[in-house]
Amino acid sequence: GFLGVGAAGAVHIALAGADPAPEAFVLTGTLLFGSVFPWLAGRYWRQSRALAEAGWLRAARLEERQRHAEERATLRERSRIAQDMHDCLGHELSLLALRAGALQVAPGLAAEHRAAAADLRAAAADATDHLHRIIGVLREDDEPVPLAPPGESVEELVARAAESGLPVRWETSHPAPRVPEPGSLTERLLHRIVREALTNAARHAPGAPVVVEVAGQPSGTTVTVTNDRPTGTGSRSTGGGTGLLGLRAAVASVGGDFRAGPHGAGF
């Protein structure tokens, strides 16, 4: 359109014999308002539509990304809850099995009561295994700590396990370890480590003496949990050592060192 109007106007000016100045002015105005300005307006409208579509597409992608982030956060929250339930309930069920075992061998107990105590102990062990299998699929190995502080110190945890019948002994060495702040990350992590170790000792090494030793180090605190040779048959492991893997990841996440393995005749 621009070329056609320009050519027709130039021919008209050349053949009409009139003053070319006003004719050229009219031709220029016709080209500007009839071709250039509409083209610029259409180009602006086309670009504005493209920008609007890109903006809506970006907003949709941001909403989708936010939704995925919320879903991942929800899954991580469920995983932390599952891990906390697994650790706490597994420990309590192990202590329940210990109490039932102590009741089973108590002197002066009738045969039917002794059989009931044995059934209770077996049921608690089975419930612990079921809990490990069911909730274990929801857990993540890199979760650093449980959701909330345990509400008891490591020494109180050991004392409660001893009252339940676990042959565990608490020891401290010199220099005296620094007492972590209540509810702090260190206290929660130490509590989780000792709780998992006592639970494993009760399940897999029944009757074995357990020693929990806490020592102070220049860079922090070292806790060592060892058990001797078991005197009974322990539960068969069904979780593939996920508890130890979770502890290793949790300790490594705060710059610590975690080791687990055979120790003499025990672990």
Side-chain angles (χ1 to χ4, degrees), residues 91-92 149-158 160 187 191 195:
H91 180 71
E92 297 301 330
E152 64 179 354
S153 65
V154 177
E155 188 173 1
E156 292 172 346
L157 172 66
V158 174
R160 187 161 61 90
E187 183 195 43
H191 187 279
R195 182 178 61 190

CSV table of all heavy atoms in Angstrom, one decimal, residues 91-92 149-158 160 187 191 195:
chain,number,residue,atom,x,y,z
A,91,HIS,N,10.1,-46.8,70.0
A,91,HIS,CA,10.9,-46.9,71.3
A,91,HIS,C,9.9,-47.4,72.4
A,91,HIS,O,10.3,-48.2,73.2
A,91,HIS,CB,11.5,-45.6,71.6
A,91,HIS,CG,12.2,-45.5,72.9
A,91,HIS,ND1,13.4,-46.2,73.0
A,91,HIS,CD2,11.9,-44.9,74.1
A,91,HIS,CE1,13.8,-46.0,74.3
A,91,HIS,NE2,13.0,-45.2,74.9
A,92,GLU,N,8.7,-46.8,72.4
A,92,GLU,CA,7.8,-47.1,73.5
A,92,GLU,C,7.3,-48.6,73.4
A,92,GLU,O,7.2,-49.3,74.4
A,92,GLU,CB,6.6,-46.2,73.5
A,92,GLU,CG,6.9,-44.7,73.7
A,92,GLU,CD,7.6,-44.5,75.0
A,92,GLU,OE1,7.3,-45.3,76.0
A,92,GLU,OE2,8.4,-43.5,75.2
A,149,PRO,N,10.8,-31.0,70.4
A,149,PRO,CA,11.8,-31.5,71.4
A,149,PRO,C,11.1,-32.6,72.2
A,149,PRO,O,9.9,-32.7,72.4
A,149,PRO,CB,12.0,-30.3,72.3
A,149,PRO,CG,11.6,-29.1,71.5
A,149,PRO,CD,10.5,-29.5,70.6
A,150,PRO,N,12.0,-33.6,72.6
A,150,PRO,CA,11.4,-34.8,73.2
A,150,PRO,C,10.9,-34.5,74.6
A,150,PRO,O,10.1,-35.3,75.1
A,150,PRO,CB,12.6,-35.7,73.3
A,150,PRO,CG,13.8,-34.8,73.3
A,150,PRO,CD,13.4,-33.7,72.4
A,151,GLY,N,11.3,-33.4,75.3
A,151,GLY,CA,10.8,-33.1,76.6
A,151,GLY,C,11.5,-33.8,77.7
A,151,GLY,O,11.1,-33.7,78.9
A,152,GLU,N,12.6,-34.5,77.4
A,152,GLU,CA,13.3,-35.2,78.5
A,152,GLU,C,14.8,-35.2,78.0
A,152,GLU,O,15.1,-35.2,76.8
A,152,GLU,CB,12.9,-36.6,78.7
A,152,GLU,CG,13.0,-37.5,77.5
A,152,GLU,CD,12.5,-39.0,77.8
A,152,GLU,OE1,12.2,-39.2,79.0
A,152,GLU,OE2,12.5,-39.8,76.9
A,153,SER,N,15.7,-35.2,79.0
A,153,SER,CA,17.1,-35.3,78.7
A,153,SER,C,17.5,-36.7,78.3
A,153,SER,O,16.8,-37.6,78.5
A,153,SER,CB,17.9,-34.8,79.9
A,153,SER,OG,17.8,-35.7,81.0
A,154,VAL,N,18.8,-36.8,77.8
A,154,VAL,CA,19.3,-38.1,77.4
A,154,VAL,C,19.4,-39.0,78.7
A,154,VAL,O,19.1,-40.2,78.6
A,154,VAL,CB,20.6,-37.9,76.7
A,154,VAL,CG1,21.2,-39.3,76.4
A,154,VAL,CG2,20.5,-37.1,75.5
A,155,GLU,N,19.9,-38.4,79.8
A,155,GLU,CA,20.0,-39.2,81.0
A,155,GLU,C,18.6,-39.7,81.5
A,155,GLU,O,18.5,-40.9,82.0
A,155,GLU,CB,20.7,-38.4,82.1
A,155,GLU,CG,21.0,-39.2,83.3
A,155,GLU,CD,21.9,-38.3,84.3
A,155,GLU,OE1,22.1,-37.2,84.0
A,155,GLU,OE2,22.2,-38.9,85.4
A,156,GLU,N,17.6,-38.9,81.4
A,156,GLU,CA,16.3,-39.3,81.8
A,156,GLU,C,15.8,-40.4,80.8
A,156,GLU,O,15.1,-41.3,81.3
A,156,GLU,CB,15.3,-38.1,81.8
A,156,GLU,CG,15.6,-37.1,82.8
A,156,GLU,CD,14.8,-35.8,82.7
A,156,GLU,OE1,14.2,-35.7,81.6
A,156,GLU,OE2,14.7,-35.1,83.6
A,157,LEU,N,16.1,-40.3,79.6
A,157,LEU,CA,15.7,-41.4,78.6
A,157,LEU,C,16.4,-42.7,79.0
A,157,LEU,O,15.7,-43.7,79.0
A,157,LEU,CB,16.1,-41.0,77.2
A,157,LEU,CG,16.0,-42.0,76.1
A,157,LEU,CD1,14.5,-42.3,75.9
A,157,LEU,CD2,16.7,-41.5,74.8
A,158,VAL,N,17.6,-42.7,79.3
A,158,VAL,CA,18.3,-43.9,79.7
A,158,VAL,C,17.7,-44.5,81.0
A,158,VAL,O,17.5,-45.7,81.2
A,158,VAL,CB,19.8,-43.6,79.9
A,158,VAL,CG1,20.5,-44.9,80.5
A,158,VAL,CG2,20.4,-43.2,78.6
A,160,ARG,N,14.7,-44.1,82.1
A,160,ARG,CA,13.3,-44.7,81.8
A,160,ARG,C,13.5,-46.0,81.2
A,160,ARG,O,12.7,-47.0,81.4
A,160,ARG,CB,12.5,-43.7,81.0
A,160,ARG,CG,11.1,-44.1,80.8
A,160,ARG,CD,10.3,-42.9,80.3
A,160,ARG,NE,10.8,-42.4,79.0
A,160,ARG,CZ,10.3,-42.8,77.8
A,160,ARG,NH1,9.4,-43.8,77.8
A,160,ARG,NH2,10.8,-42.3,76.7
A,187,GLU,N,20.4,-31.0,71.6
A,187,GLU,CA,19.7,-31.9,72.6
A,187,GLU,C,18.8,-32.8,71.8
A,187,GLU,O,18.7,-34.1,72.1
A,187,GLU,CB,18.9,-31.1,73.6
A,187,GLU,CG,18.2,-31.9,74.6
A,187,GLU,CD,17.2,-31.2,75.4
A,187,GLU,OE1,16.4,-30.4,74.8
A,187,GLU,OE2,17.1,-31.4,76.6
A,191,HIS,N,19.2,-36.9,71.7
A,191,HIS,CA,18.1,-37.7,72.2
A,191,HIS,C,17.7,-38.7,71.2
A,191,HIS,O,17.4,-39.9,71.5
A,191,HIS,CB,17.0,-36.8,72.6
A,191,HIS,CG,15.8,-37.5,73.3
A,191,HIS,ND1,14.9,-38.2,72.6
A,191,HIS,CD2,15.5,-37.6,74.6
A,191,HIS,CE1,14.0,-38.7,73.5
A,191,HIS,NE2,14.4,-38.4,74.7
A,195,ARG,N,17.9,-42.7,71.6
A,195,ARG,CA,16.6,-43.4,71.5
A,195,ARG,C,16.7,-44.5,70.5
A,195,ARG,O,16.2,-45.7,70.7
A,195,ARG,CB,15.5,-42.4,71.3
A,195,ARG,CG,14.1,-43.1,71.3
A,195,ARG,CD,13.1,-42.0,71.0
A,195,ARG,NE,13.2,-41.3,69.8
A,195,ARG,CZ,12.6,-40.2,69.4
A,195,ARG,NH1,11.7,-39.7,70.2
A,195,ARG,NH2,12.8,-39.7,68.2
